[in-house]
Amino acid sequence: MRSYLPEFLKPEALQHYIPIMDSLAKEHLETDWFPHKEVKVFPLTRKYTFALACRLFMNIKDPDHVTKFGNPFSLVTAGLISIPINFPGTAFSRAIKGGKLIREELLSIVRKREMELSENKGSTQVDLLTRILLIRDENDRGMEEKDIANKIIGFFIASHDTASTAITFVLNYLAEFPRVYSEVLKEQMQIAESKGPDELLNWDDIKNMKYTWNVACEAMRLAPPGQGAFREVTSEFTYAGFTIPKGWKGCS
Ligand code: HEM
């Protein structure tokens, strides 16, 4: 992961994602928020961050393709933390079925991109998928297709569930604290008024969102979107005088 992820997530790369995030957010608000008097925030922020991940990881733009891919994904996330008994009708069993569908879909996307790369055509944008496909080991061998699919699934889970939880809690706290809401609104309006009608947000605008960013950080401090992950010690080590033996399991 260390050979391709920093390139994808380094600050210079993140700056290019800002206009894409902004235009997708506008589309999302127009289609899924504005027509309704009341909305359920979490499912909608999940929809938004999923579409964003499809776009930034694999350059998938077609909403139908995003939905086709997203439906089985919801089954996987719903069964991620569940009793691991593969019995029909359980969340775990549905998650396994969803996982199978996603892998099949991902494999066809990976193969299509491999072909485009070998023919030197297709998107010129170097997204996460292309970066992973271009990795070579010391024997000049690329990663296996099924490993690529598994990696991409991991990134989807790591990124879209956390980001949508963070956005949901920000909105929840804004609703709870009207004074904070009006400060955020003031800062956002100042930035919006400094832009042309169709001009998208850029890195400088994000840097000017100082109060908003503090609110997002505070929301993540109060309600951390990632509670941790399960770990297993692969070799014995000593930390602060405590020896942790190989095979110990815990939650970080
Ligand atoms: C609000 C957003 C996010 C939060 C709160 C968050 C939180 C976390 C946390 C707490 C971990 C450590 C888990 C552990 O080891 O115990 C983690 C790992 C990770 N996150 Fe995020 N994350 C966010 C967004 C993202 C995004 C957008 C990506 C993009 C691809 C991402 C990719 C990863 C990866 C690959 C790891 C595993 C790193 C490793 O094991 O070396 N995360 N994240």
Side-chain angles (χ1 to χ4, degrees):
M1 267 205 293
R2 295 206 170 108
S3 63
Y4 58 85
L5 206 57
E7 274 302 306
F8 180 74
L9 288 179
K10 66 183 180 188
E12 296 81 1
L14 293 178
Q15 291 174 22
H16 293 293
Y17 309 149
I18 294 164
I20 301 175
M21 289 172 174
D22 189 22
S23 72
L24 262 185
K26 283 187 171 126
E27 268 172 40
H28 172 78
L29 287 170
E30 263 158 37
T31 341
D32 290 328
W33 290 59
F34 296 162
H36 308 285
K37 269 181 119 174
E38 202 177 297
V39 290
K40 275 206 163 65
V41 172
F42 190 48
L44 288 183
T45 55
R46 279 172 62 90
K47 192 174 168 193
Y48 166 61
T49 54
F50 190 80
L52 196 55
C54 283
R55 176 75 183 268
L56 296 177
F57 293 175
M58 304 184 298
N59 205 22
I60 294 179
K61 295 176 187 160
D62 174 14
D64 290 339
H65 199 178
V66 173
T67 313
K68 188 177 159 213
F69 194 49
N71 289 343
F73 228 99
S74 307
L75 299 177
V76 172
T77 35
L80 201 60
I81 300 182
S82 60
I83 301 166
I85 298 171
N86 189 5
F87 194 71
T90 58
F92 188 71
S93 147
R94 282 194 293 271
I96 289 179
K97 282 196 192 118
K100 224 173 136 224
L101 289 174
I102 294 169
R103 268 187 205 92
E104 279 164 16
E105 181 62 22
L106 271 175
L107 283 177
S108 82
I109 295 170
V110 168
R111 284 178 193 140
K112 187 164 170 260
R113 180 67 63 85
E114 267 178 328
M115 226 150 78
E116 283 172 1
L117 281 173
S118 68
E119 290 165 6
N120 220 358
K121 64 173 199 204
S123 96
T124 44
Q125 187 198 332
V126 182
D127 55 17
L128 186 65
L129 177 58
T130 297
R131 282 189 200 287
I132 299 179
L133 278 170
L134 293 176
I135 299 170
R136 290 288 171 270
D137 67 8
E138 59 278 11
N139 301 318
D140 203 30
R141 271 199 313 253
M143 214 191 268
E144 282 197 28
E145 283 169 351
K146 80 171 180 5
D147 292 335
I148 297 177
N150 284 339
K151 282 270 173 291
I152 301 255
I153 292 176
F155 292 132
F156 266 100
I157 290 172
S159 63
H160 104 284
D161 244 29
T162 44
S164 50
T165 305
I167 301 171
T168 304
F169 273 106
V170 168
L171 291 180
N172 179 68
Y173 288 122
L174 289 181
E176 254 180 50
F177 298 99
R179 192 185 57 78
V180 178
Y181 171 76
S182 63
E183 286 301 314
V184 169
L185 184 65
K186 198 165 93 191
E187 187 175 74
Q188 293 295 319
M189 287 315 287
Q190 270 167 6
I191 294 166
E193 278 156 15
S194 72
K195 317 274 306 168
D198 292 321
E199 199 186 339
L200 293 170
L201 291 173
N202 58 37
W203 180 232
D204 284 334
D205 301 319
I206 300 292
K207 281 196 292 190
N208 283 332
M209 295 183 188
K210 291 198 169 57
Y211 186 87
T212 312
W213 177 234
N214 282 341
V215 172
C217 291
E218 184 61 0
M220 285 193 277
R221 187 185 71 83
L222 292 171
Q227 303 283 337
F230 297 101
R231 297 285 188 228
E232 184 173 334
V233 177
T234 51
S235 54
E236 184 177 292
F237 68 96
T238 302
Y239 177 74
F242 295 94
T243 299
I244 317 291
K246 181 180 170 178
W248 265 41
K249 290 180 182 157
C251 185
S252 65

